[in-house]
């Protein structure tokens, strides 16, 4: 039951991330990008968050391992780039989420982790 709740929270967080991009998007031409984030409805959010989770679970450790020396040199800032690349890879799969450009991928990875972190705080934890 816990994984269903987390899946729903992830889908809501992804929907809010894509929705909030519409407010940031007018600034994108000034920041060097004209593309954005597109979500294919509520069902697309559920498929997309599953893809994001799978990409983070299987491709993420490999990319983080390869980027570890650069992460040390940049004092952790390379982690943002790796997370943006993972988000971009998940968007390029084409199951519910479309990520068009690096700037939307960077925004999406930061916003998704922030929004899902806040939503996770609102969910009561099981007492074991």
């Amino acid at each position: 039951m816990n994984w269903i709740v987390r899946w729903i929270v992830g889908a809501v967080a992804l929907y809010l991330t894509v929705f909030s991009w519409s407010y940031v998007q007018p600034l994108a031409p000034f920041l060097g990008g004209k593309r954005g984030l597109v979500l294919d409805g509520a069902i697309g959010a559920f498929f997309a968050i599953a893809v994001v989770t799978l990409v983070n679970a299987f491709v993420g450790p490999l990319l983080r391992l390869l980027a570890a020396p650069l992460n040390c040199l940049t004092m952790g800032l390379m982690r943002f780039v790796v997370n943006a690349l993972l988000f971009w890879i998940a968007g390029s799969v084409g199951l519910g989420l479309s990520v068009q450009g690096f700037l939307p991928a960077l925004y999406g990875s930061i916003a998704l982790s922030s929004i899902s972190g806040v939503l996770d705080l609102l969910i009561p934890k099981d007492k074991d």
Side-chain angles (χ1 to χ4, degrees):
M1 185 68 171
N2 191 20
W3 67 273
I4 294 173
V5 173
R6 296 216 179 268
W7 193 20
I8 292 170
V9 167
V12 169
L14 185 62
Y15 180 79
L16 291 174
T17 298
V18 173
F19 179 74
S20 67
W21 173 252
S22 64
Y23 293 104
V24 177
Q25 191 173 5
L27 299 175
F30 300 112
L31 299 174
K34 294 183 181 179
R35 298 167 265 186
L37 301 172
V38 178
L39 191 61
D40 296 335
I43 302 298
F46 285 104
F47 284 121
I49 200 64
V51 170
V52 168
T53 303
L54 290 173
V55 166
N56 278 332
F58 293 111
V59 181
L62 178 66
L63 277 180
R64 288 184 187 98
L65 180 67
L66 292 175
L70 286 174
N71 200 17
C72 290
L73 287 175
T74 60
M75 294 181 283
L77 292 177
M78 188 65 184
R79 182 76 177 223
F80 288 111
V81 175
V82 169
N83 286 341
L85 286 174
L86 291 171
F87 194 77
W88 201 353
I89 290 169
S92 67
V93 170
L95 286 175
L97 177 67
S98 175
V99 180
Q100 303 161 347
F102 183 74
L103 183 66
L106 182 63
Y107 174 80
S109 67
I110 293 171
L112 181 63
S113 63
S114 301
I115 292 171
S116 64
V118 169
L119 289 177
D120 190 43
L121 290 174
L122 300 175
I123 297 172
K125 305 291 184 228
D126 292 337
K127 295 182 181 178
D128 293 330

